[in-house]
Amino acid sequence: MEPTQQPRKIILSGMQPTNNLTIGQYCGALRNWVELQHQYDSLFCVVDQHAITVRQEPAKLRKRTLDVAAMYMAAGIDPDVSTLFVQSSVPEHTQLAWVLECLAGFGEVSRMTQFKDKSAQHADNVNVGLFTYPVLMAADILLYNADLVPVGEDQRQHLELTRNLAERFNFHYSPTFTVPEPYIPKVGAKIMSLQEPEKKMSKSDANEKATIFLTDSDAEIRSKIKRAVTDSGTDIRFDAERRHGVANLMTLYHITTGASIAEIEQEFVGLGYAEFKEAVGEAIVAFIAPVRSRYEALRADEDTLKATLRRGGEHARDRARKTLRKVYKKTGFVEL
Ligand code: AQP
């Protein structure tokens, strides 16, 4: 007898096209997605609707959305294996978000710490979208009945809200949504800013020297690593509590060469920061160069890139439509 095949679990994740992606996004998320796509039914989106919670220039947003999608593929997301799409091309995300907003408590959404942080950062533009962002994120996830969502520590609270909204809908109406679990990757690394190594590396950091973009040239990478902030010590020893800068460079060297932290300490015994930084710079150059050249080729053919995203969007929409139809029916909207 044929063994019955269990359907694969569903995983969904996305990034905001607020700028080019950094080596932080690669280490913390993308390289895991590339592995996961072969084990799970995977959906990866470029969340352009989340991006406009912070003011964006339309032409730049349009360009960066395509840049990010091309970078997903350059990093190894295969659009024949995963569903790769742009959030705004699937209108069901915002349609479901409205239904969920009417179930979400003002108080519970007010407790989201990211809203507090981001409204302090963008005090001139504390818009309602910034406040309801986590509900749109819940819609992104619940629309596809994702079982697992790869999240960093900063998104844990949003995932908890998603779970609460799913349970609330299921309770008030009838079981509809899968209640998703966070997926904590086996290998995770938080990459810190090269200029303020107590802060995470961020693609919208105003100081470009703080960030290694996956699109940086070899010369830019070498120069940024050379100027990276370290400390007044001299030896190459891993101490994530007290020597953030050196620890961050060691993490980058570990990720780009595969050498363990103990091996790295051994390799640089008796050598100083200058030699170490040179080695780190070269390792990152060797690591990024093939990703960058695949990216350039993919990005140069915009028609094919758009066609790939259109195909992914249609596939996502077929699935999203089914969930939304159920939700509308249960909510009491007349089907005409
Ligand atoms: N420095 C980092 N180290 C490890 N992982 C990181 N991620 C981001 N930065 C690092 C992970 O990448 C995923 C997608 O992130 P995002 O682009 O949607 O937003 P973000 O986390 O807010 O990243 P930025 O660079 O700080 O973007 P902006 O400036 O637009 O807010 C997430 O899984 C995240 O953990």
Side-chain angles (χ1 to χ4, degrees), residues 13-30 33 45 47 50-51 54 56 68 72 114 118 121-122 133 150-155 188-193 199-205 211 213 248:
S13 208
M15 290 185 195
Q16 299 188 56
T18 41
N19 206 347
N20 285 320
L21 301 185
T22 74
I23 197 162
Q25 265 101 17
Y26 186 89
C27 299
L30 267 181
W33 296 5
C45 51
V47 288
H50 286 290
V54 171
Q56 304 292 333
V68 170
Y72 284 2
Q114 198 183 75
K118 289 223 167 175
Q121 268 170 34
H122 303 281
Y133 169 117
V151 280
E153 230 12 83
D154 54 336
Q155 291 294 333
K190 189 165 173 189
I191 305 299
M192 311 309 279
S193 154
K199 247 179 52 179
K200 82 163 188 168
M201 184 181 282
S202 170
K203 60 176 144 41
S204 7
D205 197 319
T211 307
F213 292 102
N248 191 36

Side-chain angles (χ1 to χ4, degrees), residues 206-235:
N207 182 356
E208 294 228 330
K209 288 210 271 312
T211 307
I212 304 250
F213 292 102
L214 295 171
T215 44
D216 278 348
S217 68
D218 294 353
E220 283 167 328
I221 296 170
R222 289 191 183 104
S223 147
K224 287 178 182 180
I225 294 296
K226 210 164 160 187
R227 284 167 183 71
V229 168
T230 44
D231 53 45
S232 54
T234 48
D235 55 338

Side-chain angles (χ1 to χ4, degrees), residues 107-127:
E108 70 183 335
V109 180
S110 306
R111 282 196 290 278
M112 299 295 122
T113 54
Q114 198 183 75
F115 171 70
K116 292 180 197 163
D117 296 345
K118 289 223 167 175
S119 42
Q121 268 170 34
H122 303 281
D124 58 329
N125 180 24
V126 184
N127 59 76

Side-chain angles (χ1 to χ4, degrees), residues 2 55 77 90 97 112 123 147-148 171 178 182 205 207 232 241-242 263 266 291 295 299 327:
E2 289 269 313
R55 222 162 262 136
I77 299 297
V90 183
M112 299 295 122
D147 297 282
L148 295 166
F171 176 79
T178 302
D205 197 319
N207 182 356
S232 54
E241 296 301 314
R242 272 170 299 210
E263 285 165 348
Q266 197 53 43
V291 177
Y295 166 80
R299 191 62 185 89
V327 168

